[in-house]
Amino acid sequence: MKRKRCEMEETTKKKKMTEIGSAIEELSVLSIAKTTIVTTEKEATNIINLPLKPLLSFCNIIVQVLDKIGPTMAVLRHDIDQNIQRLEKMWESDPLVYSNLVEILRMEAKEGSSRKTKSCSRAALWLTRAMDFTLALLQRLVKDMSQNMEQAIEECYNLTIKPWHGWISSAAFKVALKLVPNNNTFINVLAAKDETHQIVQDDIRSLISLLIPLLSQLHSILESYEVSKLKSP
């Protein structure tokens, strides 16, 4: 009976957790899981262990956050979904071998397939850029919760995604930009019931503090495998 009650309480807790809270939880798991391992090759080299599944779980939460913005994020959301699916498919083909994102990048670099349109390296790159956009937007929100959302989203897009997008994607984004909610509406949908804007702001700060070092590491890894500057095919 006690065990059942604990399970019910845990289920209730999960239902109450906001997207921001879930994102913090996933990034905390990822931070704990990251370690340095050594290969068994003749010339042993240190390889960062960046567990794929918690990273993809976090990216799925990003999709949920972008959904709150509405149709404006349709192009970016579609890209994120496709890239998550591509990496998940690789993981499902052999969970033991492909549990580490860095091993996947290393394998594709060795095979010479990193730059191919449907490579996992490209998928990882575009997920990183989506996280760049998310970070930039969260940083603006936490700095000024009353700022104009349309302007904030456009400036964050121009800074993080537009330099790598083709003109069709950029044009589609520009058209949809008029459909963004106002800042108060967006903050309210991110908050749990009866949660104040100050609590949301504090949670966003916690998320930012976890996201910055992850992105720094991802960019460093992508650069080391020479895929960090790839544009849309």
Side-chain angles (χ1 to χ4, degrees), residues 76-130:
L76 184 56
R77 186 195 193 288
H78 178 69
D79 286 345
I80 295 172
D81 275 337
Q82 283 194 324
N83 292 321
I84 290 173
Q85 289 169 21
R86 192 178 304 161
L87 286 164
E88 282 183 338
K89 187 175 180 180
M90 175 65 80
W91 178 82
E92 289 168 357
S93 68
D94 194 330
L96 289 178
V97 174
Y98 302 123
S99 62
N100 180 10
L101 175 61
V102 184
E103 280 292 349
I104 296 174
L105 298 179
R106 192 168 75 98
M107 177 199 70
E108 288 191 341
K110 191 175 181 179
E111 293 175 350
S113 60
S114 299
R115 294 173 174 269
K116 290 184 177 179
T117 304
K118 297 191 181 297
S119 71
C120 287
S121 297
R122 275 189 183 269
L125 173 62
W126 279 101
L127 287 178
T128 300
R129 288 170 178 166

Side-chain angles (χ1 to χ4, degrees), residues 25-44:
E25 187 175 82
E26 290 296 343
L27 282 189
S28 297
V29 170
L30 188 58
S31 296
I32 293 170
K34 285 190 299 182
T35 56
T36 301
I37 58 176
V38 179
T39 67
T40 56
E41 297 174 1
K42 288 183 179 179
E43 294 183 6

Side-chain angles (χ1 to χ4, degrees), residues 6-224:
C6 289
E7 289 175 351
M8 289 175 63
E9 288 174 355
E10 184 65 25
T11 301
T12 302
K13 181 181 176 182
K14 287 180 179 178
K15 286 181 179 178
K16 288 181 179 178
M17 185 173 286
T18 64
E19 284 82 5
I20 297 297
S22 297
I24 291 170
E25 187 175 82
E26 290 296 343
L27 282 189
S28 297
V29 170
L30 188 58
S31 296
I32 293 170
K34 285 190 299 182
T35 56
T36 301
I37 58 176
V38 179
T39 67
T40 56
E41 297 174 1
K42 288 183 179 179
E43 294 183 6
T45 55
N46 288 337
I47 297 179
I48 299 297
N49 179 30
L50 194 55
L52 184 59
K53 287 301 285 183
L55 179 63
L56 295 182
S57 294
F58 173 68
C59 290
N60 273 311
I61 295 170
I62 288 181
V63 171
Q64 296 172 36
V65 173
L66 295 180
D67 280 341
K68 308 294 186 184
I69 299 175
T72 304
M73 294 292 101
V75 174
L76 184 56
R77 186 195 193 288
H78 178 69
D79 286 345
I80 295 172
D81 275 337
Q82 283 194 324
N83 292 321
I84 290 173
Q85 289 169 21
R86 192 178 304 161
L87 286 164
E88 282 183 338
K89 187 175 180 180
M90 175 65 80
W91 178 82
E92 289 168 357
S93 68
D94 194 330
L96 289 178
V97 174
Y98 302 123
S99 62
N100 180 10
L101 175 61
V102 184
E103 280 292 349
I104 296 174
L105 298 179
R106 192 168 75 98
M107 177 199 70
E108 288 191 341
K110 191 175 181 179
E111 293 175 350
S113 60
S114 299
R115 294 173 174 269
K116 290 184 177 179
T117 304
K118 297 191 181 297
S119 71
C120 287
S121 297
R122 275 189 183 269
L125 173 62
W126 279 101
L127 287 178
T128 300
R129 288 170 178 166
M131 285 186 268
D132 285 336
F133 170 83
T134 303
L135 174 62
L137 183 59
L138 291 176
Q139 286 175 322
R140 284 176 183 266
L141 284 176
V142 83
K143 186 177 181 180
D144 180 8
M145 300 283 272
S146 64
Q147 67 182 284
N148 181 277
M149 277 294 289
E150 182 181 331
Q151 181 181 350
I153 290 170
E154 182 174 20
E155 289 177 358
C156 292
Y157 172 79
N158 289 343
L159 179 66
T160 60
I161 303 292
K162 187 177 180 180
W164 314 106
H165 256 172
W167 71 268
I168 294 177
S169 296
S170 295
F173 180 88
K174 189 74 175 177
V175 170
L177 194 59
K178 303 299 180 184
L179 302 173
V180 301
N182 60 51
N183 67 304
N184 195 56
T185 300
F186 182 61
I187 297 300
N188 285 340
V189 296
L190 287 180
K193 186 178 179 181
D194 300 325
E195 196 171 62
T196 66
H197 281 197
Q198 183 59 54
I199 293 175
V200 177
Q201 203 170 12
D202 291 342
D203 286 345
I204 291 175
R205 285 196 182 96
S206 296
L207 178 56
I208 288 171
S209 69
L210 291 167
L211 190 49
I212 288 174
L214 171 64
L215 281 171
S216 177
Q217 186 177 50
L218 277 167
H219 280 292
S220 177
I221 291 167
L222 291 166
E223 187 174 350
S224 70

